[in-house]
Amino acid sequence: KLDVVGFFTGKTHAENVMKIVLKRPSKLIVDSVGGKGDRGDFVLIDTVREEGRPVRIRKWVMRPAGPNRFTGALSDAVGPVDVTVSGDEATIRYMMKGGLKVEQRLQLQRDGKSLSNKVIVRKLGLKFARVEGTIRKMD
């Protein structure tokens, strides 16, 4: 079973390939540090390295919203972030500026120390971009 908070507590490293419509694939590397915030919520700070773009910082703040559910905010999102956990998978949904609808699926791998990461971004119902890769627990 996937323990999202347990997995992202401490350091993680993600290596992904991003494919945006009409552009060539590019590397997307995310190094993260997560832990309990001062309000009892969970805070995750991402350092995002997107090929061809400046390094940027992204912040998640999440809190439990019932059994196997979390809600919160992401600095890249417009409106709330919704996380649903089912067995060894988590689904994350949110909207970004420009009407981009994001759905991210994380699946715990057999080693218990990595997640497969698949993201689909849609605009006006059409697939605009996708990200695929692996997130590894570093500590």
Side-chain angles (χ1 to χ4, degrees), residues 20-126:
I20 298 174
V21 171
L22 303 177
K23 294 187 179 183
R24 66 179 197 78
S26 60
K27 285 184 183 179
L28 177 64
I29 308 296
V30 182
D31 288 296
S32 306
V33 178
K36 197 168 193 172
D38 37 348
R39 293 191 195 126
D41 42 17
F42 184 76
V43 177
L44 185 69
I45 306 295
D46 293 340
T47 301
V48 181
R49 293 175 181 82
E50 191 176 324
E51 193 175 353
R53 298 188 67 189
V55 173
R56 63 188 170 92
I57 303 296
R58 178 172 64 191
K59 182 178 180 180
W60 303 75
V61 179
M62 305 300 293
R63 63 190 166 283
N68 302 316
R69 277 200 67 229
F70 297 87
T71 189
L74 168 62
S75 55
D76 284 359
V78 177
V81 174
D82 182 64
V83 180
T84 305
V85 181
S86 177
D88 65 352
E89 293 185 348
T91 302
I92 304 167
R93 292 183 178 93
Y94 57 93
M95 293 289 291
M96 291 176 65
K97 291 176 188 167
L100 299 173
K101 185 177 181 181
V102 179
E103 182 173 289
Q104 180 174 10
R105 293 190 181 271
L106 304 173
Q107 183 167 23
L108 185 64
Q109 300 302 287
R110 288 185 183 169
D111 63 9
K113 296 182 181 191
S114 61
L115 299 171
S116 70
N117 181 37
K118 295 183 181 185
V119 182
I120 300 291
V121 181
R122 295 182 190 280
K123 185 167 184 167
L124 302 173
L126 301 173

